[in-house]
Amino acid sequence: MLTKRLIACFDIIDGRVTKAVQFKDNIDVAPAEELAGAMYGAQIDELIFYDITASAQKRAIDIETVKKVARRVFIPFTVGGGIRDVGDMYKVLEAGAEKISVDSMAVRSPQIICDGAKAFGSQCVVLSTQVKKTGKTPSGYEVFIDGASFATGMDAIEWIRRGQELGAGEICLNSIDNDGTLAGYDIELMKLAENAVRVPLIASGGAGEPVHLRTLFTETDTQAAIISSMLYSPRMAKNYSVGEIKAYLIREGVNVRPVD
């Protein structure tokens, strides 16, 4: 049985971690490198870093903040936002990332997935996609880009299937509807995704308490989950520690790496 992974996701603005609800109204949390050090010390399994305004502002990723975070963590570290070509991918990997996430740019230029996979291997390329249930596509789920501000008309399930064919080694599905709601993951979306692709899936959006992770991991084959709000959102009545979450999941029979 594969070990399920818990991931902290940093939505970065000006070098600081922020938290939003449905991709809007971001509030400040902490300097990225400080929170990264705390999450590493708490034994989170992985870290994802999104420079969330880079694509919309049509600028390069905040590489200096990537370097600061990379110096504080020694776990798998994925970076995305403002990555336009293989040259940008190389800079991110050189700065300390292990994997590259592509999202809006991949929609605009799908060749970037193929180019990245050829240059660095599929295991380095994560296709992240912003998804909303609109009922306007065959699956019911539509791809959005630029911080969930623009509807593409693309079917989300067809898009991740194509992303896999182009060489993505992992896929992260960000539920716009569930993001920051603390009401649980979109299980329907994850079931559709697991039937469409064979690469590992990451669920994002909606986790508010440990039972939501148990539901995700026992009802779907999703391999990893983003749990940012549970860990450090100021909107939470109670923040959980990584240790608390993992202890609960182990009691419930979910295979996660225990905290020392």
Side-chain angles (χ1 to χ4, degrees), residues 3-163:
T3 302
K4 304 296 186 179
R5 295 171 285 133
L6 304 184
I7 302 175
C9 179
F10 287 5
D11 290 340
I12 302 294
I13 298 177
D14 296 330
R16 298 182 66 88
V17 178
T18 66
K19 281 304 300 171
V21 175
Q22 296 180 328
F23 288 68
K24 297 180 291 185
D25 302 323
N26 289 71
I27 56 176
D28 183 76
V29 176
E33 65 271 24
E34 290 183 12
L35 190 56
M39 288 295 99
Y40 176 67
Q43 298 186 41
I44 196 73
D45 296 316
E46 294 192 21
L47 177 63
I48 293 179
F49 172 119
Y50 292 134
D51 186 338
I52 60 172
T53 58
S55 292
Q57 294 175 357
K58 296 180 173 54
R59 61 169 172 80
I61 196 167
D62 181 356
I63 203 73
E64 290 306 313
T65 302
V66 173
K67 291 178 181 178
K68 289 178 182 178
V69 169
R71 286 195 288 264
R72 302 291 292 270
V73 300
F74 302 93
I75 52 178
F77 177 34
T78 301
V79 173
I83 294 173
R84 298 159 295 190
D85 52 35
V86 168
D88 287 339
M89 291 180 176
Y90 178 80
K91 290 175 185 176
V92 165
L93 294 172
E94 187 179 41
E98 291 189 1
K99 294 184 279 189
I100 305 129
S101 173
V102 289
D103 187 334
S104 299
M105 184 55 68
V107 171
R108 292 189 171 98
S109 180
Q111 184 64 30
I112 194 173
I113 302 172
C114 185
D115 292 345
K118 286 181 178 178
F120 309 110
S122 290
Q123 78 284 350
C124 278
V125 181
V126 180
L127 174 60
S128 181
T129 184
Q130 306 155 40
V131 178
K132 186 175 180 63
K133 192 172 186 179
T134 64
K136 296 179 180 179
T137 65
S139 71
Y141 289 92
E142 185 175 356
V143 174
F144 282 63
I145 58 173
D146 296 340
S149 65
F150 181 78
T152 66
M154 295 168 56
D155 184 272
I157 302 304
E158 288 303 315
W159 171 231
I160 64 170
R161 187 180 286 117
R162 186 181 178 200

Side-chain angles (χ1 to χ4, degrees), residues 98-243:
E98 291 189 1
K99 294 184 279 189
I100 305 129
S101 173
V102 289
D103 187 334
S104 299
M105 184 55 68
V107 171
R108 292 189 171 98
S109 180
Q111 184 64 30
I112 194 173
I113 302 172
C114 185
D115 292 345
K118 286 181 178 178
F120 309 110
S122 290
Q123 78 284 350
C124 278
V125 181
V126 180
L127 174 60
S128 181
T129 184
Q130 306 155 40
V131 178
K132 186 175 180 63
K133 192 172 186 179
T134 64
K136 296 179 180 179
T137 65
S139 71
Y141 289 92
E142 185 175 356
V143 174
F144 282 63
I145 58 173
D146 296 340
S149 65
F150 181 78
T152 66
M154 295 168 56
D155 184 272
I157 302 304
E158 288 303 315
W159 171 231
I160 64 170
R161 187 180 286 117
R162 186 181 178 200
Q164 175 185 259
E165 292 170 354
L166 288 168
E170 196 166 17
I171 291 167
C172 181
L173 289 139
N174 301 296
S175 171
I176 298 168
D177 298 308
N178 292 41
D179 181 70
T181 64
L182 313 178
Y185 297 97
D186 189 330
I187 300 299
E188 178 187 357
L189 171 63
M190 300 313 297
K191 286 182 176 179
L192 288 171
E194 72 182 31
N195 288 327
V197 299
R198 63 184 181 279
V199 297
L201 295 171
I202 302 169
S204 177
E209 52 186 301
V211 69
H212 295 150
L213 286 156
R214 184 194 68 186
T215 300
L216 175 73
F217 289 140
T218 58
E219 294 188 9
T220 79
D221 290 331
T222 304
Q223 288 84 1
I226 287 173
I227 56 171
S228 304
S229 291
M230 294 175 65
L231 297 172
Y232 45 76
S233 173
R235 293 186 173 98
M236 288 283 291
K238 168 184 167 54
N239 288 127
Y240 295 87
S241 70
V242 175

